[in-house]
């Protein structure tokens, strides 16, 4: 098989795939294999129109039993010329925000009687929160408990607690 023939077969397969996907329009393609593959793809819902942005907030309870203020996880990319070639830090930051977006989407389609703590995205967000706390300089003293919140924040609005979708219970800090 020549390169030209292989290219034509790939193009034909692409158009067959497009035709099938147009015929299946409106039907939800779902399954466990697709759920596992979604971590490789960003959440493209922001193209559907402006709306509330899921944001992660966390706080810590110290040995004196007082909670700190809520801290918002707002990933900010740092750009350098070398980032065009190799950019693992910004990719990780994007993946972390993508996790928060997926948690918000999972909560919105979750049945009322389901436990949010069983979601993989919830458990990963819990681990992300622990990492954010341990790498933060805003936590004063040794944490005893920690908590995180998911809030849907409209664009250009200062977030407040009325936007809360999910608040975790007070979780034991384990160094």
């Amino acid at each position: 098989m020549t390169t030209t023939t292989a290219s034509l077969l790939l193009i034909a397969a692409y158009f067959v795939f497009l035709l099938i996907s147009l015929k299946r329009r409106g039907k939800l393609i779902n399954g466990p294999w697709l759920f596992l593959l979604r971590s490789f793809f960003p959440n493209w819902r922001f193209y559907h129109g402006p709306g509330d942005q899921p944001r992660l907030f966390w706080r810590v309870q110290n040995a004196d039993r007082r909670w700190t203020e809520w801290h918002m996880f707002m990933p900010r990319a740092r750009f350098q010329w070398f980032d065009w070639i190799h950019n693992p830090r910004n990719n990780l930051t994007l993946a972390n925000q993508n996790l928060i977006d997926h948690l918000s989407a999972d909560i919105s389609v979750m049945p009322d009687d389901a436990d949010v703590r069983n979601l993989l995205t919830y458990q990963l967000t819990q681990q992300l929160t622990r990492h954010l706390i341990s790498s933060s300089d805003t936590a004063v003293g040794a944490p005893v408990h920690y908590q995180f919140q998911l809030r849907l924040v409209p664009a250009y609005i200062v977030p407040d607690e009325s936007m809360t979708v999910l608040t975790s219970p007070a979780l034991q800090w384990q160094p």
Side-chain angles (χ1 to χ4, degrees):
M1 182 185 309
T2 66
T3 308
T4 307
T5 308
S7 298
L8 289 174
L9 283 174
L10 283 174
I11 292 171
Y14 172 73
F15 282 111
V16 168
F17 174 75
L18 283 178
L19 182 66
I20 291 171
S21 65
L22 287 173
K23 290 287 188 187
R24 291 185 51 93
R25 188 174 208 155
K27 297 178 184 172
L28 182 64
I29 300 173
N30 203 353
W33 59 271
L34 186 62
F35 181 77
L36 294 174
L37 288 176
R38 78 177 187 169
S39 62
F40 292 106
F41 304 103
N43 190 349
W44 294 105
R45 291 186 181 196
F46 60 87
Y47 283 124
H48 292 268
D52 299 340
Q53 304 164 354
R55 296 285 177 232
L56 177 68
F57 288 78
W58 58 268
R59 68 180 182 170
V60 174
Q61 184 185 44
N62 297 323
D64 61 357
R65 295 211 171 272
R66 285 187 294 172
W67 289 96
T68 61
E69 295 292 319
W70 288 102
H71 302 280
M72 182 171 68
F73 168 61
M74 181 71 155
R76 292 288 182 209
R78 180 182 53 105
F79 293 106
Q80 297 175 349
W81 284 106
F82 187 69
D83 290 344
W84 285 91
I85 299 168
H86 184 65
N87 195 354
R89 179 172 300 185
N90 289 346
N91 288 342
L92 179 61
T93 303
L94 176 62
N96 289 340
Q97 183 56 45
N98 195 24
L99 170 65
I100 304 307
D101 294 343
H102 280 299
L103 175 63
S104 176
D106 287 350
I107 290 172
S108 68
V109 298
M110 196 171 81
D112 291 336
D113 60 343
D115 188 3
V116 71
R117 293 174 294 181
N118 294 332
L119 293 173
L120 179 60
T121 50
Y122 178 88
Q123 295 166 11
L124 289 172
T125 302
Q126 185 175 340
Q127 293 299 319
L128 172 61
T129 304
R130 288 176 46 77
H131 172 72
L132 292 172
I133 293 169
S134 64
S135 63
S136 172
D137 57 356
T138 56
V140 180
V144 176
H145 292 96
Y146 70 100
Q147 242 181 340
F148 65 90
Q149 279 186 344
L150 179 69
R151 297 181 191 172
L152 291 178
V153 180
Y156 309 113
I157 301 292
V158 176
D160 61 28
E161 295 227 25
S162 68
M163 302 167 184
T164 302
V165 173
L166 167 76
T167 302
S168 73
L171 302 164
Q172 185 74 32
W173 180 261
Q174 300 163 355

